[in-house]
Amino acid sequence: MRPEHCVTRNHIEVWRERALPSGPERIRFGTVLRGSLLPILVWAGIGFFVYFTYNPLVATILGGLFAVSFIVGFGLRRRAKHSVRCSVYGALGGVLDKSMAGF
């Protein structure tokens, strides 16, 4: 895959694509985070809720689930010959996108 085509909207889906430019072009990490603000807030809110309501161990398990999902997504993208940058952006966007599928 050519490096200039790796970090595009075709390879990185941000939740509801609100923050993405209209065509294929390079995007920055801040754009990925801005487009994923709602899923980030939901993950953080659930983490704080279970930390204070149940136990810090439950919040740690939730964080571990997020980390495992990110690592699997990163590994799959690297295996598909994406760059490290594209793999990080895609894994983060993918985890946040798929975790909000029911909303």
Side-chain angles (χ1 to χ4, degrees):
M1 176 167 297
R2 293 175 36 194
E4 62 269 15
H5 293 158
C6 192
V7 185
T8 65
R9 71 181 301 116
N10 299 330
H11 295 88
I12 298 172
E13 294 184 15
V14 181
W15 195 68
R16 291 199 182 177
E17 300 177 11
R18 292 179 183 170
L20 289 178
S22 60
E25 62 182 69
R26 282 186 175 266
I27 60 172
R28 299 183 192 280
F29 189 67
T31 305
V32 174
L33 292 179
R34 189 178 69 226
S36 303
L37 189 58
L38 181 61
I40 290 171
L41 292 175
V42 168
W43 271 89
I46 292 171
F48 283 123
F49 176 76
V50 298
Y51 180 84
F52 290 113
T53 304
Y54 296 106
N55 193 343
L57 179 63
V58 178
T60 304
I61 292 170
L62 182 66
L65 176 65
F66 182 86
V68 166
S69 301
F70 177 83
I71 290 168
V72 168
F74 179 82
L76 290 173
R77 284 170 177 77
R78 286 298 291 159
R79 185 173 288 176
K81 306 282 190 230
H82 289 266
S83 68
V84 172
R85 178 180 175 172
C86 182
S87 298
V88 169
Y89 287 10
L92 179 62
V95 169
L96 294 174
D97 179 48
K98 300 305 181 221
S99 68
M100 297 300 291
F103 290 102

